[in-house]
Amino acid sequence: MAAAPRAAPLTATTAFAHRPRRGMVGRVLHWFASHVQLVDTLLVAALSAILVLPFALVGVGSTFDRTNWQNDTWTGFLISVLVTLPLIWRRTRTVPAAIAMASVCVVQVALGVQVVPADALVLMMVYALAAYAPRWASISGFWLAIAGAAALIVRYRAMPVLTSTDSAEGIQEPAQPLFQIVLAVTIFFGFIAASVTAAWLLGAITRNRISQQRELREHAERLEIQQQQERDLAAADERARIAREMHDVVAHSLSVMITQADGARYASQNDPEVARRTLETIAETGRSSLHEMRRLLGVLHDDSGAETRPMPTIADIPDLVDTVQLSGTRAKLTVSGDATRADRLTAGAQLVAYRVVQEALTNILKHAGPEPQATVTLRWGEQMLQLQIDDDGRGALSSDDGAGNGLRGMRERLALYDGSVQAGPRAGGGFSVHATLPYENGAS
C-alpha cells in the first residue's frame, strides 16, 4: 500500500530526488544517441591525446632522420594521425572510414614503417564494420584484418627473426631455431586473430541489438497504424449502424404520425372522438420515437448515464403491426412453425428481423398509396426464419429513401447474420419483401 503514491507522475524535482542516477543515465544516453558525430569526434580527440600527442612531444626540438625515416618520431606521429582520424566517421560513414584506415595500414606495412600504438585502433574499426556497415563490408573487413595481422607478423616478426647478418662475414644465417620462431609467430598471430575475432563478434552482437530495436520500433509503428485503422473502421461501422437505426426509428415514426395527423384533420370535422384517439396515437408514437432518439444520442455521446432502453426483438413485431393498424392501414400478422425457435436467434439477429419488418411497413405507408392492405408472415423453419411482407398497393416501392438507407440498409443488416432479402413488385399488384435469417447454428 505504501507504494501506491509512487504511481502518480513525478515532477522534475521529485524525479531527480527519487531517481537521480537513473534519470541522469537516461539523459546521457539520449544525448549520445542524438549527437553521434560529435561523440565520435570527442572520442578521437581523447584517443589522440593518448596515442598521438606523445609523438609530437618527443619530436619537438628534434630533426627529421632521413636515413632511418621509417622509425623517425615524426613518421610515427603522421601514421598515428592518419590511423586515428578515420574513427570520426566510424558510425556515419563506416565503409569510407574503414577504407581510409586500411589504406594507411597497407602503406605502413609495405614501406616498413614502425608499428605505433594507434595501430590497435584497427580493432575499433572492425567492430564498427560488424555493427554498422553492410554485411558484405563486415565480412570483408574481418578477413582483411586477419590478412593484415598475418602481414604484420611476417613483416615485423618473422623476417627479422629468421635472418640476421654476420658483420664479419657478411653472411645471413638463422638467428634462432626454426621451431622457436614458428611457435612465437603462431602465438603472436593467434593473439591478434583472437582480438580481431572478439571485436568482430562484439560488433555483430551490437548489430543484432540495433536490428531488434529497429524491428521493435517498426512493429510498434505498424501496430499503431493498424490500431488507428481499426478505430476508423469501427467508427465508420458505428456511424453506419446508427444511421440505419436513425432511419428506422425516424422514418417509421414520422410516417405513422403523418398518416395519423391527416386522418385527425378530416375526422375533427365529423367525429371529435376519432380525432381524439388519433391524436393520442400520434402522441404515443412521438414519445416512443423520442425514447429511441435519446438512446441513440446516448450512444453517440458515450454517456453511461444515458437511458438504455431494451432493443426491439421479434416479440415486439405484433406491437409494430398494431401501430401500423392505428394509422389506418389494414395490416395483419401471421405466424407459422415453432415460434420457440426464436431462442436460436441472437439479440442482434432479432433486432435485424424487427428492423426489416419495420422498414417494409414504413415503405408501405409512404409508397403503397391510399388504404393499402399489408400482410406480415413469420415462418419458423428448421434452419432459418423467413419474413414475408406483402401489400396490395401501387407496387412501385422505391429501393431507398433517397439517402441510401432503404432496402440497402436491409441487405447490410441481414448480411451481418448471413441473411438475404429479395424485394420487388408482385405479379398481381402490390409489392413483396422476402427475407431469410438463418439460426445461429443452422440446427432445428
Side-chain angles (χ1 to χ4, degrees):
M1 297 300 294
R6 296 180 182 270
L10 297 176
T11 63
T13 304
T14 56
F16 182 80
H18 288 284
R19 297 187 301 175
R21 183 178 182 85
R22 190 174 184 179
M24 182 177 296
V25 171
R27 288 192 295 270
V28 170
L29 292 177
H30 178 72
W31 188 87
F32 280 175
S34 304
H35 303 81
V36 174
Q37 193 69 73
L38 179 58
V39 170
D40 289 343
T41 302
L42 295 176
L43 176 62
V44 169
L47 293 174
S48 299
I50 300 173
L51 303 176
V52 180
L53 186 60
F55 283 96
L57 296 177
V58 173
V60 172
S62 63
T63 58
F64 183 71
D65 187 0
R66 297 180 181 272
T67 59
N68 190 23
W69 62 270
Q70 292 93 338
N71 297 317
D72 188 79
T73 302
W74 288 110
T75 303
F77 172 80
L78 178 61
I79 293 297
S80 299
V81 170
L82 295 178
V83 170
T84 306
L85 194 60
L87 290 175
I88 294 177
W89 300 277
R90 67 187 182 93
R91 286 190 287 180
T92 56
R93 300 289 186 273
T94 307
V95 175
I99 293 175
M101 179 180 285
S103 300
V104 174
C105 293
V106 169
V107 172
Q108 178 185 7
V109 174
L111 298 179
V113 178
Q114 61 180 319
V115 177
V116 294
D119 288 329
L121 298 179
V122 172
L123 297 176
M124 290 186 63
M125 189 59 72
V126 171
Y127 170 87
L129 284 171
Y132 311 113
R135 181 66 64 181
W136 65 267
S138 172
I139 297 175
S140 299
F142 171 77
W143 289 112
L144 183 60
I146 295 294
L152 179 70
I153 292 174
V154 171
R155 182 68 176 82
Y156 296 100
R157 284 291 184 183
M159 291 179 61
V161 173
L162 283 172
T163 61
S164 62
T165 303
D166 190 325
S167 59
E169 301 291 337
I171 301 174
Q172 292 183 345
E173 59 182 10
Q176 295 180 6
L178 183 61
F179 172 76
Q180 295 181 3
I181 296 174
V182 172
L183 180 61
V185 168
T186 301
I187 294 175
F188 192 54
F189 175 77
F191 173 76
I192 296 179
S195 301
V196 171
T197 303
W200 188 86
L201 290 176
L202 288 175
I205 294 174
T206 302
R207 181 192 194 91
N208 292 335
R209 181 176 59 82
I210 294 174
S211 177
Q212 291 176 356
Q213 291 177 348
R214 181 171 60 251
E215 290 177 357
L216 288 175
R217 286 194 300 269
E218 293 176 352
H219 177 71
E221 293 174 358
R222 289 195 301 269
L223 184 61
E224 183 177 358
I225 294 174
Q226 181 180 356
Q227 290 176 345
Q228 182 61 42
Q229 291 175 344
E230 291 177 352
R231 288 193 293 267
D232 293 341
L233 290 174
D237 182 71
E238 185 66 12
R239 285 194 297 269
R241 185 189 69 81
I242 293 175
R244 290 193 298 266
E245 292 286 329
M246 295 282 286
H247 167 264
D248 293 337
V249 172
V250 174
H252 176 77
S253 300
L254 288 180
S255 297
V256 172
M257 293 171 68
I258 290 171
T259 303
Q260 292 283 345
D262 289 338
R265 184 177 59 184
Y266 293 109
S268 62
Q269 300 176 358
N270 302 319
D271 192 344
E273 181 62 23
V274 173
R276 184 184 62 81
R277 291 197 301 269
T278 303
L279 291 175
E280 290 178 353
T281 302
I282 294 175
E284 181 62 27
T285 303
R287 281 191 290 269
S288 176
S289 299
L290 182 60
H291 283 302
E292 290 288 334
M293 293 293 293
R294 285 176 176 173
R295 180 181 61 80
L296 291 175
L297 292 176
V299 173
L300 285 175
H301 290 88
D302 194 22
D303 187 1
S304 59
E307 181 179 354
T308 56
R309 184 180 178 183
M311 301 297 288
T313 63
I314 292 177
D316 296 312
I317 292 180
D319 295 336
L320 180 63
V321 174
D322 292 339
T323 302
V324 174
Q325 288 178 338
L326 291 176
S327 66
T329 299
R330 293 170 296 169
K332 65 177 181 177
L333 174 64
T334 302
V335 180
S336 63
D338 187 2
T340 60
R341 289 171 177 163
D343 296 337
R344 308 204 68 84
L345 292 174
T346 63
Q350 293 196 36
L351 174 63
V352 168
Y354 179 89
R355 294 305 187 196
V356 167
V357 175
Q358 185 183 49
E359 174 65 23
L361 293 176
T362 300
N363 285 330
I364 291 174
L365 293 175
K366 292 166 60 177
H367 304 288
E371 297 184 357
Q373 182 173 354
T375 301
V376 179
T377 304
L378 305 182
R379 298 187 183 94
W380 296 98
E382 294 184 357
Q383 296 183 346
M384 65 181 65
L385 168 64
Q386 298 185 41
L387 303 170
Q388 185 82 24
I389 302 95
D390 300 322
D391 69 81
D392 59 357
R394 288 195 292 259
L397 184 64
S398 67
S399 60
D400 55 54
D401 65 344
N405 290 319
L407 289 178
R408 186 175 66 183
M410 288 188 191
R411 295 188 181 95
E412 291 176 353
R413 288 179 180 275
L414 289 165
L416 295 175
Y417 295 91
D418 299 326
S420 61
V421 62
Q422 295 178 350
R426 299 170 58 192
F431 202 85
S432 176
V433 175
H434 179 74
T436 59
L437 192 61
Y439 301 136
E440 186 173 5
N441 58 9
S444 60

